[in-house]
């Protein structure tokens, strides 16, 4: 693991709470001070500052940030303050409850986290919204996409890391029989069963075996057999399974390509991976695109929002 944000060694929650109170004083906010304080320490330390701030001043720090800041800058600072599992649950809710379903975000969050994390995110979701994640997925999606996302949301993937060559060959054959060799249609349940249950090294081996048997990639098979959002979600999942770091680098690139920026995805990945593997993602990004992540962010964002992201990225 290679984070860009580490716990601050000279951390003092009382001093930081006082400095934030000072930053909010008077006409306007000292945004540079807010950025400096909240990007130099870990999520756990930020939440300690929030507790100290409430103890000293009787005010909720996140509410203060929301009242003092605006736009994407507000969103990134609130994201930094939010407990990581709760943050992912809220991101899932936004992906489901907005205009149309953001299935790529659902696959990202359910795909990059391990079983324990997925279960905790689902529990947090239900605590926040009094509805289960599964029921909201079912209510907002249909068909193949619905079944894939429900399968991912259970947090029941094998996590043994054991690779069984014979089982990989059988799964590859089953996928072929259920898809490209099937006379009419596709037996999607076979794809669901393999994609949502097998451990990641085993799945990568299944993909290799499929290509050995057929002569083209599993991605090509998905493009042949599925369409629309189900196809896109499966291709996203395969990309995540093949190489999580590369997948997240591509997600960051896609968030800043085309007209406008997908700020929610940019903020989510930069903030949520900053204490895990953002350094590795940065290195992969530069390898893939010939430009540093910081340079790309600087080109695509502005003002205090840009400053905050660049401090987190390092």
């Amino acid at each position: 693991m290679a984070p860009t944000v580490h716990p601050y060694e000279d951390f003092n929650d009382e001093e930081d709470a006082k400095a934030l109170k000072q930053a909010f004083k008077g006409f306007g906010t000292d945004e540079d001070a807010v950025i400096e304080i909240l990007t130099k320490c870990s999520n756990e330390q930020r939440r300690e500052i929030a507790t100290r701030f409430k103890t000293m001043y009787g005010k909720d720090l996140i509410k203060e940030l929301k009242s003092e800041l605006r736009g994407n800058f507000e969103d990134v600072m609130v994201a930094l303050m939010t407990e990581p599992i709760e943050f992912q649950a809220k991101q899932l809710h936004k992906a489901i409850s907005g205009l149309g379903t953001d299935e790529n975000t659902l696959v990202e969050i359910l795909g990059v986290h391990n079983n324990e994390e997925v279960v905790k995110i689902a529990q947090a979701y239900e605590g926040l919204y009094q509805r289960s994640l599964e029921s909201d997925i079912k209510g907002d999606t249909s068909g193949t996409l619905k079944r894939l996302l429900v399968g991912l949301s259970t947090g029941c993937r094998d996590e043994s890391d054991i690779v069984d060559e014979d089982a990989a060959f059988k799964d590859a054959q089953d996928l072929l029989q259920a898809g490209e060799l099937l006379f009419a249609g596709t037996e999607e349940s076979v794809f669901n069963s393999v994609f949502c249950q097998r451990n990641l090294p085993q799945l990568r081996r299944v993909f290799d075996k499929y290509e050995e048997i057929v002569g083209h990639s599993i991605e090509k098979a998905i493009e042949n057999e599925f369409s629309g959002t189900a196809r896109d979600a499966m291709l996203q999942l395969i990309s995540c399974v093949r190489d999580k770091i590369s997948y997240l680098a591509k997600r960051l690139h896609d968030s800043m390509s085309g007209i406008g920026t997908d700020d929610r995805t940019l903020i989510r990945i930069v903030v949520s991976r900053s204490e895990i593997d953002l350094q590795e993602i940065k290195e992969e990004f530069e390898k893939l695109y010939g430009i540093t992540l910081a340079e790309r962010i600087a080109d695509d964002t502005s003002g205090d929002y840009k400053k905050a992201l660049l401090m987190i990225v390092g």
Side-chain angles (χ1 to χ4, degrees):
M1 292 300 178
T4 59
V5 172
H6 303 83
Y8 188 54
E9 287 185 12
D10 298 322
F11 177 67
N12 184 317
D13 58 348
E14 186 172 341
E15 289 303 313
D16 285 341
K18 286 179 183 175
L20 284 169
K21 181 67 173 173
Q22 187 63 36
F24 298 148
K25 261 189 176 176
F27 183 72
T29 304
D30 183 351
E31 287 89 354
D32 287 342
V34 175
I35 293 168
E36 169 66 23
I37 293 162
L38 295 182
T39 60
K40 73 182 179 184
C41 55
S42 67
N43 180 272
E44 186 176 348
Q45 289 173 330
R46 290 179 210 118
R47 286 184 284 125
E48 287 178 33
I49 295 169
T51 301
R52 181 63 59 191
F53 191 92
K54 185 175 281 187
T55 303
M56 293 171 72
Y57 306 113
K59 291 184 175 182
D60 184 290
L61 181 53
I62 289 182
K63 286 183 180 175
E64 287 291 290
L65 289 167
K66 285 181 175 180
S67 71
E68 296 286 335
L69 311 178
R70 293 292 177 269
N72 293 321
F73 178 48
E74 174 195 330
D75 291 343
V76 75
M77 301 317 287
V78 169
L80 285 170
M81 293 300 305
T82 307
E83 190 278 325
I85 293 292
E86 180 186 331
F87 176 66
Q88 297 295 341
K90 288 179 173 178
Q91 291 287 299
L92 283 173
H93 186 253
K94 286 176 181 174
I96 293 170
S97 62
L99 188 65
T101 308
D102 181 357
E103 64 276 349
N104 288 342
T105 291
L106 296 177
V107 172
E108 176 203 308
I109 294 173
L110 298 174
V112 302
H113 292 95
N114 64 30
N115 288 347
E116 183 183 0
E117 290 163 341
V118 168
V119 169
K120 285 181 178 177
I121 291 166
Q123 289 170 343
Y125 188 99
E126 190 157 0
L128 286 164
Y129 305 110
Q130 282 71 59
R131 298 186 304 276
S132 74
L133 174 59
E134 182 180 325
S135 67
D136 275 4
I137 288 171
K138 286 177 175 177
D140 211 58
T141 58
S142 61
T144 305
L145 177 64
K146 176 179 77 174
R147 287 182 280 276
L148 178 70
L149 292 172
V150 168
L152 292 173
S153 74
T154 61
C156 289
R157 184 183 296 283
D158 169 32
E159 291 184 330
S160 68
D161 283 352
I162 295 168
V163 175
D164 182 326
E165 293 287 330
D166 293 338
F169 183 74
K170 184 179 185 308
D171 276 345
Q173 285 185 312
D174 288 347
L175 290 172
L176 183 57
Q177 296 286 347
E180 294 184 281
L181 287 186
L182 199 63
F183 178 69
T186 306
E187 282 186 33
E188 64 185 55
S189 61
V190 177
F191 285 83
N192 227 55
S193 176
V194 173
F195 284 11
C196 295
Q197 290 191 103
R198 305 296 180 258
N199 70 57
L200 300 184
Q202 181 72 18
L203 252 186
R204 290 191 280 269
R205 200 72 196 99
V206 172
F207 299 161
D208 292 342
K209 292 288 187 188
Y210 192 95
E211 190 158 356
E212 287 172 19
I213 296 167
V214 185
H216 62 70
S217 69
I218 189 72
E219 286 89 344
K220 180 72 173 169
I222 296 302
E223 287 171 0
N224 290 340
E225 293 301 314
F226 295 91
S227 61
T229 54
R231 176 195 61 212
D232 295 343
M234 283 193 173
L235 291 173
Q236 289 280 328
L237 180 60
I238 291 166
S239 177
C240 182
V241 168
R242 283 196 185 278
D243 187 333
K244 182 165 68 177
I245 298 298
S246 179
Y247 164 73
L248 289 169
K250 289 170 188 168
R251 289 281 289 155
L252 282 171
H253 176 264
D254 291 348
S255 76
M256 295 179 280
S257 62
I259 298 168
T261 306
D262 178 357
D263 295 291
R264 191 183 293 166
T265 294
L266 177 58
I267 292 168
R268 181 179 59 255
I269 296 175
V270 166
V271 170
S272 67
R273 307 313 293 186
S274 63
E275 293 184 55
I276 303 170
D277 51 16
L278 188 55
Q279 185 61 42
E280 292 172 78
I281 295 167
K282 279 169 57 181
E283 291 164 7
E284 181 69 12
F285 189 96
E286 187 170 6
K287 191 167 79 179
L288 287 171
Y289 303 109
I291 185 173
T292 68
L293 178 58
E295 287 168 336
R296 191 71 187 84
I297 288 171
D299 287 345
D300 217 65
T301 59
S302 61
D304 295 314
Y305 175 43
K306 175 169 81 173
K307 284 183 197 172
L309 287 176
L310 292 179
M311 286 290 284
I312 300 164
V313 167

